[in-house]
Each structure stands twice: as structure tokens, then as C-alpha cells.
Amino acid sequence: MKIEKIRWISEAGQEAEVHLSDGSRACVAFCQPCEYEVGAAVAGPLRAFMTKNVMLSYEQDVSLRNTNDNLFAYRCTARVIDPQHGLVCVGGLKIELDERIPAGVGGGDLVDFECARLDLW
């Protein structure tokens, strides 16, 4: 994942909207404290905050859609990387869920979920 743009919410509070991309998909994450620079590569996963409705997906491909309710909220279809640790990916965007992945869902399966925000730590 690469940082494409940073928009400061509060420079004094080091709070920012961070625009990330894997080259084909993009998202906006909340970051505090934001000590990143535009162009930096992000190795670790984003954190999904207030994840809900995690379930096995019937979709055929991954997707990441902003809910339009607010800038940070997303509906996702993601590929499970590590079900025990709640790690999923949407293309090259890795996300760690704060809810358990349902029993019986394994690595490589697709799951649907919603989150109130994606965080970059």
C-alpha cells in the first residue's frame, strides 16, 4: 500500500485523512498520530474500526465501497488471509478486523463486512 495524499484534519493533533492505494484500488483511512509522508509505503495492515456483519460472501471478487454516510465508512468484500487473526485483503490493501471471522471460514474464502472507519497506525 502506498500513501497517495494526506489531508490534515488537525496538524496540532496530528490527525489526518490518509489516501492509500495499491495501484488499482484506493481508500481513505483515519490516522492519529500521523507521522507518514506522501509516497511512503505502508507495510502493516489497516485496522477496521467498529466492524459489523462479517459473513461468508456470495460475491465472486473483492470490492471496497465507501458507504457515502461518511468519508471513512466502508462496505467490503475481502479475501481472508488469516482467519484466526482477522486478517483480510482487498487486492493489495490489507485490513485487520476488530471482529471475529465466523467459524468455518478459511483462508482464501471471501467475506463481506462493514466498518465505521479504516485506521492507519
Side-chain angles (χ1 to χ4, degrees):
M1 296 181 289
K2 182 179 172 186
I3 296 176
E4 300 287 321
K5 177 179 155 184
I6 296 174
R7 190 181 81 71
W8 291 101
I9 298 168
S10 167
E11 283 193 61
Q14 293 183 301
E15 296 177 331
E17 292 174 10
V18 178
H19 297 247
L20 298 123
S21 175
D22 69 353
S24 62
R25 291 177 180 82
C27 67
V28 178
F30 175 78
C31 185
Q32 199 282 326
C34 185
E35 298 171 341
Y36 293 95
E37 295 182 13
V38 172
V42 176
L46 300 172
R47 284 13 182 249
F49 177 69
M50 292 180 57
T51 306
K52 63 182 182 179
N53 300 327
V54 181
M55 65 186 83
L56 188 62
S57 180
Y58 293 105
E59 298 297 325
Q60 299 298 313
D61 200 8
V62 297
S63 65
L64 184 68
R65 300 172 303 281
N66 185 265
T67 65
N68 294 326
D69 294 340
N70 77 50
L71 179 66
F72 299 112
Y74 286 93
R75 286 190 183 102
C76 301
T77 300
R79 187 162 312 281
V80 176
I81 298 171
D82 182 345
Q84 278 70 33
H85 295 102
L87 192 60
V88 300
C89 68
V90 178
L93 302 172
K94 293 180 184 172
I95 303 169
E96 182 181 334
L97 305 181
D98 63 356
E99 281 292 318
R100 296 183 60 86
I101 291 176
V105 176
D109 289 341
L110 295 179
V111 291
D112 294 326
F113 67 93
E114 298 173 31
C115 63
R117 188 175 75 209
L118 293 173
D119 290 339
L120 174 62
W121 291 358

